Amino acid sequence: MQISPSILASDFANLERELKRVANADWAHVDVMDAHFVPNLTLGLPVVEALARVSPIPLDCHLMIDDPDRWAPMYAEAGAASVTFHVEAARDPKSLARNLRALGARAGMALKPGTAFAPYADLLPELDMVLLMTVEPGFGGQSFMADQMPKVREVREAVARCGGEIWVQVDGGVSTATIQACAEAGANVFVAGSAVFGAQAAAAAVDQLRELATRHSSLKGTDRQHG
Ligand code: DX5
Ligand code: ZN
């Protein structure tokens, strides 16, 4: 069970300090938005390079951008240990995933709430993670979409059939109130922005989320321990 706090909800004037507040987390989730794929603009390559130099934990880059075939490999080169592209924006997701892995990054594929998984199930062997959005991408602090849980289950089942170690990540509105449903549905990586950085004690919030996820996980044994 892994927690990936989204720095979108952190103080952008003090990113190094904010990363250090969540040094007990497994990943730092970095939301890259380009004002084209989503109606919001956040940060890009130079900031990711800088974060990679100072972060105590590996970077989990979530690219909400057009043309990830072109840009995503540069985020792997910039030092992101995990790079997730949106399949809705990718021209050739299979080659892109292969490129990311060849650069030494974990390759993730993200789906918006309205995007079905079945047409992309064949891509699983190329992937290290599937990110399922539980809000419409673009902004932090939105309400969790519980209606996405059947898709989390569907992906977890497909991953189990495929074999190998493919992680299932949920992103959007994850909090102490909603993480149980995600864990029961089979997620093992949990992004949380406001629930972590909005808390008085961010590190304690990370521990609490991880504890809840572990307690309610539908995964058993090594799956649960190692992700
Ligand atoms: C939304 C982003 C999320 C967001 C999560 O487009 O992908 O990572 O920051 O924030 P919360 O946890 O506040 O919903
Ligand atoms: Zn995200």
Side-chain angles (χ1 to χ4, degrees):
M1 296 297 112
Q2 305 180 54
I3 307 298
S4 188
S6 166
I7 62 166
L8 189 58
S10 78
D11 177 1
F12 269 29
N14 294 285
L15 287 173
E16 180 174 9
R17 198 170 73 196
E18 293 288 74
L19 286 170
K20 288 178 178 159
R21 283 177 75 202
V22 295
N24 62 325
D26 301 278
W27 298 87
H29 187 82
V30 180
D31 287 308
V32 175
M33 305 187 191
D34 67 350
H36 289 266
F37 182 73
V38 288
N40 195 6
L41 182 67
T42 54
L43 52 87
L45 274 171
V47 177
V48 169
E49 275 168 19
L51 293 173
R53 281 199 296 275
V54 301
S55 182
I57 48 178
L59 301 185
D60 164 33
C61 274
H62 175 197
L63 305 181
M64 286 159 276
I65 61 173
D66 279 346
D67 203 1
D69 305 71
R70 173 179 176 191
W71 296 106
M74 289 184 241
Y75 286 84
E77 285 163 351
S82 177
V83 178
T84 299
F85 59 87
H86 268 270
V87 73
E88 302 89 350
R91 261 172 318 188
D92 183 353
K94 187 191 253 193
S95 301
L96 175 51
R98 287 184 179 177
N99 285 343
L100 292 171
R101 283 177 155 181
L103 291 166
R106 296 179 62 88
M109 175 178 83
L111 276 65
K112 298 205 278 189
T115 303
F117 169 68
Y120 306 108
D122 286 354
L123 291 168
L124 278 183
E126 314 292 339
L127 299 168
D128 299 295
M129 185 166 82
V130 178
L131 183 169
L132 297 171
M133 293 300 308
T134 42
V135 297
E136 285 300 333
F139 299 91
Q142 303 181 76
S143 304
F144 178 75
M145 297 169 70
D147 63 355
Q148 296 301 304
M149 295 304 99
K151 188 155 73 172
V152 176
R153 279 204 172 77
E154 177 191 358
V155 173
R156 173 52 70 189
E157 282 162 16
V159 161
R161 280 196 302 275
C162 177
E165 234 204 84
I166 305 167
W167 298 347
V168 180
Q169 183 178 69
V170 284
D171 182 9
V174 175
S175 69
T176 53
T178 59
I179 198 167
Q180 173 172 349
C182 301
E184 285 171 353
N188 71 301
V189 189
F190 305 84
V191 177
S194 9
V196 168
F197 287 103
Q200 282 280 333
V206 167
D207 286 340
Q208 191 188 4
L209 288 168
R210 197 191 279 110
E211 199 273 318
L212 281 170
T214 305
R215 191 177 340 144
H216 295 289
S217 177
S218 59
L219 305 174
K220 296 286 166 255
T222 51
D223 275 348
R224 185 187 293 207
Q225 275 153 24
H226 300 299

